[in-house]
Amino acid sequence: VLRLCLDRQLGKGFLRCRRSLMSGMVILGAAYLLAGAFSGRYFENGMWNLVFALLQFVSVAGFYWFFTGAVRWERVHTDYFLWVGLGAGLMVSGQIIGVVLGNNVIEDSQIVTPMIFTGWGNANNMGCMAAMMIPCAVGLARRTGKVTLFCLLAILIAVCVCLTCSRTSMAAAALIYVLSVAVSLRDRRCRKKLLIFHGIAALALAAALFVMREELRTLFDALVDRGLDPRMRDIIYPEGIRTFRENPVFGEGFYPSTDKIYEWSKQERLKAILPARWHNTVIQLLASCGVVGLLAYGNHRQHTIRLFWEKRKTPAIYIGLSLLAMLLMSLLDCHFFNIGPTLVYSIGLAFAEKTQWENRRYE
């Protein structure tokens, strides 16, 4: 605040800065704040519904609003977000490895999935954050031309995602890796290197899966046994639709009235602040914010799609793929309402919009 008040260059432009996504974010924030209006449950938990709604709005818009105006974007390197994303991906991967080694995750050569957690999240949370950073590594492979180094780092992050045994994260990591490589193949300068590397990598993976098939089958036994088990989502989603039908306009608020959402924490103080969520962005919006919330989200999403379509021939496309990974995982989980990943989402939107990509295009 002091810097913005005293720095004439930043201070003058901060409030007047053009923010193309801000109007959609404000509308979404208003829908959040109205969640549960006229349902009779808005103040059932005191002011917590309002506080949580405000927290959600700030997680989406706060960093975007601040960074778009508080950064001298002409000085920002086009690869800055990619480097930071790679660092974050490697950091989370290191934490995953530390958890596997330090939490007695592997017993009798099998991964015990309930033991995969750390202070800031469980296996799904860690898998989500790591998967989001894969496009940053692949993007740097294209930007620097050092395909082998950065694609190996991307594969390392993907392997660590697999160690979380989070099925949604694993599927998203695989899809987003393929999409990232497909985007990189547009660059003729590194196309040959990418094809050769991934040809060799595919053969090495196939050989490893064949040679170590029994060990891997034992290691991921719990994951294989889980298969396509929906983990109560087949109960949660219909309950969310029922809740929406009872309060179709503004929903019932962020604190569900149903007891069919499984207990996500044993900490009573934590559950009193952070409500159980519906494990699907659309269901969450319908049940909590009603059709008003879904329309507001759709408006915001239309703005972001237009932004990345306009930046599709720049490195911003890798930021878009990173955020897409989170949005896809949020269709089976609650990452968009978990605050932390959405803060990264907010920062990514600021960088995608404001980094000066002009005259730095590459096909």
Side-chain angles (χ1 to χ4, degrees):
V1 173
L2 184 63
R3 176 65 182 274
L4 291 175
C5 291
L6 297 179
D7 190 310
R8 294 181 179 180
Q9 183 176 359
L10 284 177
K12 286 183 178 179
F14 182 80
L15 295 178
R16 295 197 300 268
C17 172
R18 182 180 180 276
R19 299 172 172 91
S20 65
L21 303 179
M22 201 66 217
S23 62
M25 289 179 173
V26 169
I27 292 172
L28 180 61
Y32 283 168
L33 294 173
L34 288 170
F38 309 110
S39 68
R41 302 193 65 251
Y42 196 91
F43 294 108
E44 188 173 276
N45 288 354
M47 297 295 292
W48 282 116
N49 188 66
L50 179 61
V51 171
F52 188 74
L54 182 62
L55 192 60
Q56 291 298 322
F57 170 51
V58 170
S59 70
V60 172
F63 279 162
Y64 169 81
W65 175 77
F66 178 76
F67 283 115
T68 48
V71 172
R72 293 180 177 175
W73 291 101
E74 71 278 4
R75 299 185 178 184
V76 176
H77 194 280
T78 51
D79 297 335
Y80 186 87
F81 186 92
L82 300 185
W83 281 105
V84 174
L86 173 62
L90 294 175
M91 179 185 69
V92 175
S93 297
Q95 289 182 326
I96 292 171
I97 293 172
V99 166
V100 170
L101 296 178
N103 277 20
N104 296 319
V105 169
I106 300 178
E107 292 184 1
D108 298 327
S109 300
Q110 295 183 7
I111 292 179
V112 183
T113 52
M115 298 303 297
I116 305 174
F117 65 90
T118 188
W120 60 269
N122 59 19
N124 290 341
N125 303 137
M126 290 187 286
C128 169
M129 293 299 291
M132 287 178 66
M133 304 310 165
I134 289 174
C136 297
V138 178
L140 286 171
R142 176 181 178 180
R143 294 288 289 161
T144 64
K146 298 178 181 179
V147 170
T148 301
L149 171 62
F150 289 102
C151 283
L152 281 175
L153 292 177
I155 290 174
L156 170 63
I157 296 172
V159 169
C160 288
V161 172
C162 293
L163 289 177
T164 67
C165 290
S166 170
R167 295 171 297 174
T168 303
S169 301
M170 293 167 66
L175 175 61
I176 218 68
Y177 186 97
V178 171
L179 290 177
S180 299
V181 172
V183 169
S184 298
L185 287 174
R186 297 187 306 175
D187 190 346
R188 296 179 181 179
R189 295 171 296 177
C190 63
R191 184 179 299 166
K192 183 177 179 180
K193 291 181 181 179
L194 282 166
L195 291 174
I196 292 174
F197 173 85
H198 286 95
I200 295 173
L203 290 174
L205 176 62
L209 291 175
F210 178 76
V211 172
M212 302 177 63
R213 59 187 182 278
E214 293 301 327
E215 291 83 354
L216 290 173
R217 174 63 176 81
T218 302
L219 184 66
F220 292 97
D221 187 62
L223 180 64
V224 173
D225 289 344
R226 239 188 299 165
L228 298 177
D229 179 11
R231 299 297 294 272
M232 293 186 67
R233 286 171 177 80
D234 55 332
I235 298 175
I236 294 173
Y237 293 168
E239 187 69 10
I241 295 298
R242 183 196 64 77
T243 300
F244 161 66
R245 287 176 177 174
E246 291 180 355
N247 300 280
V249 181
F250 296 108
E252 72 164 5
F254 285 103
Y255 289 80
S257 59
T258 181
D259 59 358
K260 292 187 178 181
I261 299 182
Y262 56 84
E263 188 175 72
W264 66 276
S265 174
K266 295 182 179 180
Q267 297 291 331
E268 294 300 328
R269 291 183 179 180
L270 186 60
K271 289 191 294 183
I273 299 173
L274 299 177
R277 275 143 287 171
W278 294 94
H279 285 72
N280 176 281
T281 301
V282 176
I283 300 295
Q284 178 76 52
L285 288 165
L286 288 174
S288 301
C289 311
V291 69
V292 170
L294 187 61
L295 290 175
Y297 177 83
N299 177 62
H300 168 62
R301 186 59 53 235
Q302 184 265 332
H303 286 180
T304 58
I305 291 172
R306 183 173 60 191
L307 169 66
F308 285 106
W309 177 254
E310 293 173 354
K311 310 286 186 179
R312 66 189 182 279
K313 292 185 178 181
T314 73
I317 193 66
Y318 293 106
I319 300 178
L321 290 171
S322 175
L323 305 188
L324 176 63
M326 187 196 78
L327 296 175
L328 290 175
M329 287 182 279
S330 297
L331 294 177
L332 290 171
D333 217 315
C334 42
H335 301 300
F336 194 72
F337 295 89
N338 275 348
I339 303 170
T342 313
L343 293 175
V344 179
Y345 169 86
S346 184
I347 296 170
L349 291 177
F351 272 81
E353 179 178 344
K354 288 300 182 179
T355 299
Q356 297 186 5
W357 310 107
E358 292 79 5
N359 302 320
R360 305 178 190 183
R361 292 173 177 268
Y362 56 102
E363 302 294 337

